[in-house]
Amino acid sequence: MADKKQKRVNILLPSFGIRPTGGFKIAYIYANYLAAVGYSVTMIHEACGDLQKKPEHMISYVQDLLKLAAGKKNWFHLHKKVHCRYVFSLNNRTVPHADVTIATAWYTAVVLEQLSERKGRKVYLIQGYEIWDGQTRKVEETWKYRDMKKIVISKWLLDIGKKLGAQNMVYIPNSINFKKYRLKDPVATRGNVVAMIYRERIIKGYKVGIKVLKRVKAEVPDLRVILFGPEERGRNIPSWMEYYENPKQDVIVDDIYNKAAVFLCTSKHEGWGLPSMEAMACGCAVVSTRNGGVEDFAIDEKTALLCKVDDSDAMAEKIIRLLNDQKLRIDISNAGTEYVRRFQWKQSFQTFRQVIDGKV
């Protein structure tokens, strides 16, 4: 148990989280851990994270509630003792009193800064440099809040915080479930198969990814491409590319990660890069942009091959290089699979709990 008196922890989320995302996944993992060791955990999901609500947001709010009622949110299994709330707006009325309240995105940090002292100590889980919506000044202001303990999930984010003059920071790296994400199919027997997540967001570099894969196909005619993501198949995906819409985790592990020789990540920014880490653990050789977060575990020419953001020629060339050089691919794969195991949830949970208890 956490203490004789059960500690109450709130976790603030900027949307209903109906579609799987890495930021929500990490928040849910920490919620499950805290509930399992005896904390009273409440996840408060807001309809949308806009600073100014608009009339049309009420329609989206109702639509999302209907999806929840229909059981649409089933991509992550929460501990039975984790309580979930779905509200239109995060505020003093909708956020219960607690010993600790945790923000998980820049907008929720803005809300947290304004909440009363009865919501407990303030902790800010910084999972990315969230400037892609043109809110750079507002995002960076949240890093400078003096009364918040800040958890950064990657060394890249830690460096940004230091440059901004942020205080009260602690580095707690992410991990994955290595019992789930593991090598099943031998690396040496994998064919010319490349996997990539497809999300129609500019920050994910999906258009660059399609361009890269087309070029690789021109050089490697028997190339098989497996794309997957939470959205419907995009119109710009060529018919010869396979696409899995919102696949279950066992499908991702067995039919994608363990079948691919190479995993491609084209993101412009990543707070951490969970899919790249998952792919490495399953035996993929990773080709990635230098997008920040992945560089905690993706070391160029050792555990992965890295390229500049948006450099489609370099990404294509490195994929072709791996497919044509079996020894290099196997060496990169083996090194990556071994290296990611340095990041263990046990250590991260211990430090996270110390932060929650005010001991760090």
Side-chain angles (χ1 to χ4, degrees), residues 172-173 342-352 354:
I172 306 180
R342 298 185 181 192
F343 301 90
Q344 295 287 332
W345 274 127
K346 182 178 180 180
Q347 288 85 353
S348 293
F349 286 154
Q350 289 175 347
T351 309
F352 189 85
Q354 289 175 332

Side-chain angles (χ1 to χ4, degrees), residues 99-294:
D99 298 293
V100 181
T101 296
I102 305 170
T104 60
W106 81 268
Y107 168 68
T108 60
V110 173
V111 173
L112 180 57
E113 175 72 358
Q114 299 168 353
L115 293 180
S116 73
E117 293 181 358
R118 300 187 70 181
K119 310 307 175 183
R121 288 186 299 101
K122 299 175 180 180
V123 176
Y124 183 9
L125 177 59
I126 298 176
Q127 303 193 72
Y129 187 40
E130 304 168 88
I131 62 171
W132 45 83
D133 290 328
Q135 304 278 6
T136 301
R137 181 182 62 81
K138 293 178 180 178
V139 170
E140 292 182 348
E141 283 178 356
T142 66
W143 290 56
K144 299 175 185 178
Y145 290 154
R146 292 184 178 275
D147 296 331
M148 279 187 203
K149 189 69 178 183
K150 301 165 193 76
I151 297 171
V152 291
I153 63 171
S154 63
K155 292 180 180 178
W156 172 62
L157 295 175
L158 184 64
D159 289 340
I160 291 174
K162 290 178 180 178
K163 291 177 182 177
L164 293 174
Q167 299 177 353
N168 297 323
M169 292 191 300
V170 58
Y171 165 63
I172 306 180
N174 288 338
S175 184
I176 57 175
N177 182 345
F178 290 105
K179 292 182 179 179
K180 176 185 294 183
Y181 300 102
R182 59 188 176 88
L183 184 67
K184 294 184 177 182
D185 291 13
V187 171
T189 60
R190 300 185 189 187
N192 292 330
V193 183
V194 179
M196 184 186 84
I197 285 187
Y198 180 90
R199 293 202 65 188
E200 290 189 353
R201 296 178 61 195
I202 294 176
I203 191 174
K204 295 300 182 181
Y206 70 101
K207 291 183 179 179
V208 173
I210 296 296
K211 182 179 179 181
V212 168
L213 295 169
K214 285 181 177 178
R215 179 175 169 187
V216 175
K217 178 72 170 178
E219 296 290 329
V220 184
D222 66 341
L223 178 71
R224 179 188 174 197
V225 170
I226 306 175
L227 305 181
F228 64 104
E231 305 156 350
E232 294 181 357
R233 184 185 182 104
R235 293 183 179 180
N236 68 334
I237 298 177
S239 60
W240 56 270
M241 294 185 185
E242 300 172 34
Y243 185 74
Y244 287 79
E245 180 184 341
N246 200 23
K248 294 182 178 180
Q249 288 301 304
D250 59 344
V251 173
I252 294 175
V253 172
D254 296 342
D255 299 330
I256 301 177
Y257 289 154
N258 266 280
K259 294 296 185 290
V262 177
F263 181 83
L264 173 63
C265 176
T266 57
S267 296
K268 298 176 185 294
H269 295 288
E270 285 289 349
W272 180 261
L274 283 176
S276 295
M277 189 181 205
E278 293 166 355
M280 274 190 184
C282 294
C284 295
V286 169
V287 172
S288 176
T289 51
R290 293 185 179 274
N291 54 49
V294 299

